[in-house]
Amino acid sequence: QQQQQRVIDELVRQFRRQGYVLIKGLFDKQKIRAMAKAHAELLHKNLSTKKLTANRGSGRFYMPLPFLPPFADPDIYAEPTILAVVGRVLGDSPRMCQLASDTPRQGSEYQKIHRDTGALFPDMATEPPPYQLAVNFPLVDVKSHASGPLEIVAGTHTWTVAEGEAKVARGELKASPVWMDIGDVLIRDVRMLHRGTPNQSREGRPMVVIGYSRSWWHRPEVGLKIARTVYRSLAPNLQALVTKDAEIVDDDKATELDLERYDVKALKKTSGGSFD
């Protein structure tokens, strides 16, 4: 137990210094491969029926995921190491507010360097402590530039929006790729500057994002939609984790891709440059 506490302490130190921490081999690879198969089928369905279009630039698709197996797996979203780091950074009773994927396909382009949220307090000259984190993990190995890796600018999570925009405009920043294998996990402050890169391969590069926020920070535009029977089956601690901005729906509506709920115009107002 003391050894595990030391591990968490070191992960939190890295996070506070860099704005992110990369944890290698945290998830079971078989679970991620099962999720990848289901994701490919769901993405194909939504693309073929025209329910989903490129909403994050050319060839790049943001897709909310249903709160059902294999996507909503407590071994993933309530994994003890993740919740320990999230709890240390976000304080008591953090809440899961998002479950989605971002998939660049062949023909995608560089995103501009951006943060995933605007200023929480625009009149402040400095940034407040962290209030929302993104937990990212790929459904395929990301080992080459051809697969369109996420690129990050470490240490920028403490910069104000104005500071970041000025440095981006002057071309002063160099973003570095994050190489990840199936099972690896990236926990990042959503304010850290980053960008998506072109996927030049024949296969999509799906990256799952699970969002966690402080108990008082509401993001209904990315909130979860949970089947009533699934919600009732959750242990009380998991119900508390997922229900802040969740919509509890009849089972037959839980798999619908609700594009009005996840309206890109609404997301653009709250998500920094992520949806430009």
Coordinates of all heavy atoms in Angstrom, one line a residue, residues 68-111:
L68 N -22.5 1.9 -22.5 CA -22.8 0.5 -22.5 C -21.5 -0.3 -22.7 O -20.5 0.3 -23.2 CB -23.8 0.1 -23.6 CG -25.2 0.7 -23.6 CD1 -25.9 0.6 -24.9 CD2 -26.0 0.0 -22.5
P69 N -21.4 -1.6 -22.3 CA -20.2 -2.4 -22.6 C -20.1 -2.4 -24.1 O -21.1 -2.5 -24.8 CB -20.6 -3.7 -22.0 CG -21.6 -3.5 -21.0 CD -22.4 -2.3 -21.5
P70 N -18.8 -2.5 -24.6 CA -17.6 -2.5 -23.9 C -17.0 -1.1 -23.6 O -16.0 -1.0 -23.0 CB -16.6 -3.2 -24.8 CG -17.1 -2.8 -26.2 CD -18.6 -2.7 -26.1
F71 N -17.8 -0.1 -24.0 CA -17.2 1.3 -23.8 C -17.3 1.8 -22.3 O -16.3 2.3 -21.8 CB -18.0 2.3 -24.7 CG -18.0 1.9 -26.1 CD1 -19.2 1.5 -26.7 CD2 -16.8 1.9 -26.9 CE1 -19.2 1.2 -28.1 CE2 -16.8 1.5 -28.2 CZ -18.0 1.2 -28.8
A72 N -18.4 1.5 -21.7 CA -18.5 1.9 -20.3 C -18.2 0.7 -19.4 O -19.0 -0.1 -19.0 CB -20.0 2.4 -20.0
D73 N -16.9 0.6 -19.1 CA -16.4 -0.5 -18.3 C -15.8 0.1 -17.0 O -14.8 0.9 -17.1 CB -15.3 -1.2 -19.1 CG -14.8 -2.4 -18.4 OD1 -15.0 -2.6 -17.2 OD2 -14.2 -3.3 -19.1
P74 N -16.3 -0.3 -15.8 CA -15.7 0.3 -14.6 C -14.3 0.0 -14.4 O -13.6 0.7 -13.7 CB -16.6 -0.4 -13.5 CG -17.8 -0.8 -14.2 CD -17.5 -1.1 -15.6
D75 N -13.8 -1.1 -15.0 CA -12.3 -1.4 -15.0 C -11.5 -0.3 -15.7 O -10.3 -0.2 -15.5 CB -12.0 -2.8 -15.6 CG -12.5 -3.9 -14.7 OD1 -12.8 -3.6 -13.5 OD2 -12.6 -5.0 -15.2
I76 N -12.2 0.4 -16.6 CA -11.6 1.5 -17.3 C -11.9 2.9 -16.7 O -11.0 3.6 -16.2 CB -12.1 1.5 -18.8 CG1 -11.8 0.2 -19.5 CG2 -11.5 2.7 -19.6 CD1 -10.3 -0.1 -19.7
Y77 N -13.2 3.3 -16.6 CA -13.5 4.6 -16.1 C -13.4 4.8 -14.6 O -13.3 5.9 -14.2 CB -14.9 5.1 -16.6 CG -16.1 4.4 -16.0 CD1 -16.6 4.7 -14.8 CD2 -16.8 3.4 -16.8 CE1 -17.7 4.1 -14.3 CE2 -17.9 2.8 -16.2 CZ -18.3 3.1 -15.0 OH -19.5 2.5 -14.5
A78 N -13.4 3.7 -13.9 CA -13.2 3.8 -12.4 C -11.9 3.0 -12.0 O -11.8 2.5 -10.9 CB -14.4 3.2 -11.7
E79 N -10.9 2.9 -12.9 CA -9.7 2.2 -12.6 C -9.0 2.9 -11.4 O -8.9 4.2 -11.4 CB -8.8 2.3 -13.8 CG -7.6 1.3 -13.8 CD -6.5 1.7 -12.9 OE1 -6.3 2.9 -12.8 OE2 -5.8 0.8 -12.3
P80 N -8.6 2.2 -10.4 CA -8.1 2.8 -9.1 C -7.0 3.8 -9.3 O -7.0 4.9 -8.6 CB -7.7 1.6 -8.3 CG -8.5 0.5 -8.8 CD -8.6 0.7 -10.3
T81 N -6.0 3.6 -10.1 CA -4.9 4.5 -10.3 C -5.4 5.8 -10.9 O -5.0 6.9 -10.5 CB -3.8 3.9 -11.2 OG1 -3.3 2.7 -10.5 CG2 -2.7 4.9 -11.4
I82 N -6.3 5.7 -11.9 CA -6.8 6.9 -12.5 C -7.6 7.7 -11.5 O -7.4 8.9 -11.4 CB -7.7 6.5 -13.7 CG1 -6.8 6.0 -14.9 CG2 -8.5 7.7 -14.2 CD1 -7.6 5.5 -16.1
L83 N -8.5 7.1 -10.8 CA -9.3 7.8 -9.8 C -8.5 8.4 -8.7 O -8.8 9.5 -8.2 CB -10.4 6.9 -9.3 CG -11.5 6.5 -10.2 CD1 -12.6 5.8 -9.5 CD2 -12.1 7.7 -11.0
A84 N -7.4 7.7 -8.4 CA -6.5 8.3 -7.3 C -5.8 9.6 -7.8 O -5.8 10.6 -7.1 CB -5.4 7.2 -6.9
V85 N -5.3 9.6 -9.0 CA -4.7 10.8 -9.6 C -5.7 11.9 -9.8 O -5.5 13.0 -9.4 CB -4.0 10.4 -10.9 CG1 -3.5 11.7 -11.6 CG2 -2.8 9.5 -10.7
V86 N -6.9 11.5 -10.4 CA -7.9 12.5 -10.6 C -8.4 13.1 -9.3 O -8.6 14.3 -9.2 CB -9.1 11.8 -11.4 CG1 -10.3 12.7 -11.4 CG2 -8.7 11.5 -12.8
G87 N -8.6 12.3 -8.3 CA -9.0 12.8 -7.0 C -8.0 13.7 -6.3 O -8.4 14.7 -5.7
R88 N -6.7 13.4 -6.5 CA -5.7 14.3 -5.9 C -5.6 15.6 -6.6 O -5.3 16.7 -6.0 CB -4.3 13.6 -6.0 CG -4.1 12.4 -5.0 CD -3.6 12.9 -3.7 NE -2.3 13.6 -3.8 CZ -1.2 12.9 -3.8 NH1 -1.2 11.6 -3.6 NH2 0.0 13.6 -3.8
V89 N -5.9 15.6 -7.9 CA -5.8 16.8 -8.7 C -7.1 17.7 -8.6 O -7.0 18.9 -8.5 CB -5.5 16.5 -10.2 CG1 -5.5 17.8 -11.0 CG2 -4.1 15.9 -10.3
L90 N -8.2 17.0 -8.6 CA -9.5 17.7 -8.7 C -10.2 17.8 -7.4 O -11.3 18.5 -7.3 CB -10.4 17.0 -9.7 CG -10.0 17.1 -11.2 CD1 -11.0 16.4 -12.1 CD2 -9.7 18.5 -11.7
G91 N -9.7 17.3 -6.3 CA -10.3 17.4 -5.0 C -11.4 16.3 -4.8 O -11.5 15.4 -5.6
D92 N -12.1 16.5 -3.7 CA -13.1 15.6 -3.3 C -14.2 15.4 -4.4 O -14.7 16.4 -5.0 CB -13.8 16.0 -2.0 CG -12.8 15.9 -0.9 OD1 -11.8 15.2 -1.0 OD2 -13.0 16.6 0.2
S93 N -14.7 14.2 -4.5 CA -15.9 13.8 -5.3 C -15.8 14.4 -6.8 O -16.8 15.0 -7.2 CB -17.1 14.4 -4.6 OG -17.2 13.9 -3.3
P94 N -14.7 14.1 -7.5 CA -14.8 14.4 -8.9 C -15.8 13.7 -9.7 O -16.3 12.6 -9.2 CB -13.3 14.1 -9.4 CG -12.9 13.0 -8.5 CD -13.5 13.3 -7.1
R95 N -16.2 14.2 -10.8 CA -17.3 13.5 -11.6 C -16.9 13.2 -13.0 O -16.2 14.0 -13.6 CB -18.6 14.4 -11.6 CG -19.2 14.7 -10.2 CD -19.8 13.4 -9.7 NE -20.5 13.7 -8.4 CZ -20.0 13.3 -7.2 NH1 -18.8 12.8 -7.1 NH2 -20.7 13.6 -6.1
M96 N -17.3 12.1 -13.5 CA -17.1 11.7 -14.9 C -18.2 12.5 -15.7 O -19.4 12.3 -15.5 CB -17.2 10.2 -15.1 CG -17.1 9.8 -16.5 SD -17.2 8.0 -16.6 CE -17.4 7.7 -18.4
C97 N -17.7 13.2 -16.7 CA -18.6 14.1 -17.5 C -18.6 13.8 -19.0 O -19.4 14.4 -19.7 CB -18.3 15.6 -17.2 SG -16.7 16.0 -17.7
Q98 N -17.8 12.9 -19.4 CA -17.7 12.7 -20.9 C -17.2 11.3 -21.2 O -16.3 10.8 -20.5 CB -16.7 13.7 -21.4 CG -16.4 13.7 -22.9 CD -15.4 14.8 -23.3 OE1 -14.6 15.2 -22.5 NE2 -15.4 15.2 -24.6
L99 N -17.7 10.7 -22.3 CA -17.2 9.5 -22.9 C -17.4 9.6 -24.4 O -18.5 9.6 -24.9 CB -18.0 8.3 -22.3 CG -17.6 6.9 -22.8 CD1 -16.2 6.6 -22.5 CD2 -18.6 5.8 -22.3
A100 N -16.3 9.7 -25.1 CA -16.4 9.9 -26.5 C -15.1 9.4 -27.2 O -14.2 8.9 -26.5 CB -16.6 11.4 -26.8
S101 N -15.0 9.6 -28.5 CA -13.8 9.2 -29.2 C -13.5 10.3 -30.3 O -14.4 11.0 -30.7 CB -13.9 7.9 -29.9 OG -14.9 7.9 -30.9
D102 N -12.2 10.4 -30.6 CA -11.8 11.3 -31.7 C -11.0 10.4 -32.6 O -10.0 9.8 -32.3 CB -10.9 12.4 -31.1 CG -10.5 13.4 -32.2 OD1 -11.3 14.0 -32.8 OD2 -9.2 13.5 -32.4
T103 N -11.4 10.4 -33.9 CA -10.8 9.5 -34.9 C -10.4 10.3 -36.1 O -11.3 10.6 -37.0 CB -11.8 8.4 -35.3 OG1 -12.2 7.7 -34.1 CG2 -11.1 7.4 -36.2
P104 N -9.1 10.6 -36.3 CA -8.7 11.1 -37.6 C -8.5 9.9 -38.6 O -8.0 8.9 -38.2 CB -7.3 11.7 -37.3 CG -6.8 11.0 -36.1 CD -8.1 10.5 -35.3
R105 N -9.0 10.1 -39.8 CA -8.9 9.1 -40.8 C -8.0 9.7 -41.9 O -7.5 10.9 -41.9 CB -10.2 8.7 -41.4 CG -11.2 8.3 -40.3 CD -12.6 7.9 -40.8 NE -12.6 6.5 -41.3 CZ -13.5 6.0 -42.1 NH1 -14.5 6.8 -42.5 NH2 -13.5 4.8 -42.5
Q106 N -7.7 8.9 -42.9 CA -6.9 9.3 -44.0 C -7.5 10.6 -44.7 O -8.7 10.6 -44.9 CB -6.8 8.2 -45.1 CG -5.6 8.4 -46.1 CD -5.4 7.2 -46.9 OE1 -6.3 6.6 -47.4 NE2 -4.1 6.8 -47.0
G107 N -6.7 11.6 -44.9 CA -7.3 12.9 -45.4 C -7.4 13.9 -44.3 O -7.7 15.1 -44.6
S108 N -7.2 13.5 -43.0 CA -7.2 14.5 -41.9 C -6.0 15.4 -42.0 O -5.0 15.1 -42.7 CB -7.3 13.8 -40.6 OG -6.2 12.9 -40.5
E109 N -6.1 16.6 -41.3 CA -5.1 17.6 -41.4 C -4.6 18.0 -40.0 O -5.2 17.5 -39.0 CB -5.6 18.8 -42.1 CG -6.2 18.5 -43.5 CD -6.9 19.7 -44.1 OE1 -7.2 20.7 -43.4 OE2 -7.1 19.7 -45.3
Y110 N -3.6 18.8 -40.0 CA -3.1 19.3 -38.7 C -4.2 20.2 -38.1 O -4.8 21.1 -38.8 CB -1.8 20.2 -38.8 CG -0.6 19.4 -38.9 CD1 0.0 19.2 -40.2 CD2 0.0 18.8 -37.8 CE1 1.2 18.4 -40.3 CE2 1.2 18.1 -37.9 CZ 1.8 17.9 -39.1 OH 2.9 17.2 -39.2
Q111 N -4.5 20.0 -36.8 CA -5.3 21.0 -36.1 C -4.4 22.2 -35.7 O -3.2 22.0 -35.6 CB -5.9 20.4 -34.8 CG -7.0 19.4 -35.0 CD -7.6 18.9 -33.7 OE1 -6.8 18.5 -32.8 NE2 -8.9 18.9 -33.6

